[in-house]
């Protein structure tokens, strides 16, 4: 986040219609080396780290509970389709 924070701040209003400041950039406190279970209080997400490809911070999030995307469920074999 320290390397990319200024970019996110500069583009935030254009990209997500929210004006960010330096106070809004919160650095991560957990390093995911392989897999990590993140319990959100009854909903567990599995975070999976990937080797360096186009960035040095690729992370997938798996959730076994389906969500609604409009009128369709965007869920296939534990992977959400966005």
């Amino acid at each position: 986040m320290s390397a990319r924070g200024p970019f996110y701040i500069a583009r935030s209003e254009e990209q997500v219609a929210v004006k960010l400041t330096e106070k809004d950039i919160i650095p991560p406190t957990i390093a995911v080396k392989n897999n990590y279970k993140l319990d959100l209080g009854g909903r567990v997400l599995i975070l999976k780290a990937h080797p360096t490809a186009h960035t040095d911070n690729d992370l997938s999030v798996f959730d076994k509970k389906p969500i609604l995307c409009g009128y369709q469920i965007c869920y296939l074999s534990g992977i959400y389709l966005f």
Side-chain angles (χ1 to χ4, degrees), residues 16-61:
V16 294
V18 174
K19 179 90 172 131
L20 295 177
T21 68
E22 287 183 15
K23 292 179 183 178
D24 297 310
I25 303 297
I26 301 169
T29 58
I30 299 169
V32 179
K33 298 198 185 290
N34 294 308
N35 293 318
Y36 183 82
K37 286 185 179 182
L38 180 63
D39 188 340
L40 301 176
R43 186 170 203 144
V44 177
L45 303 178
I46 306 299
L47 309 181
K48 179 175 176 44
H50 299 280
T52 299
H54 65 283
T55 68
D56 62 354
N57 55 10
D58 291 343
L59 189 71
S60 297
V61 180

Side-chain angles (χ1 to χ4, degrees), residues 4-15 19-20:
R4 293 174 182 85
F7 173 80
Y8 297 144
I9 291 168
R11 300 291 304 272
S12 65
E13 198 164 15
E14 174 189 337
Q15 297 290 320
K19 179 90 172 131
L20 295 177

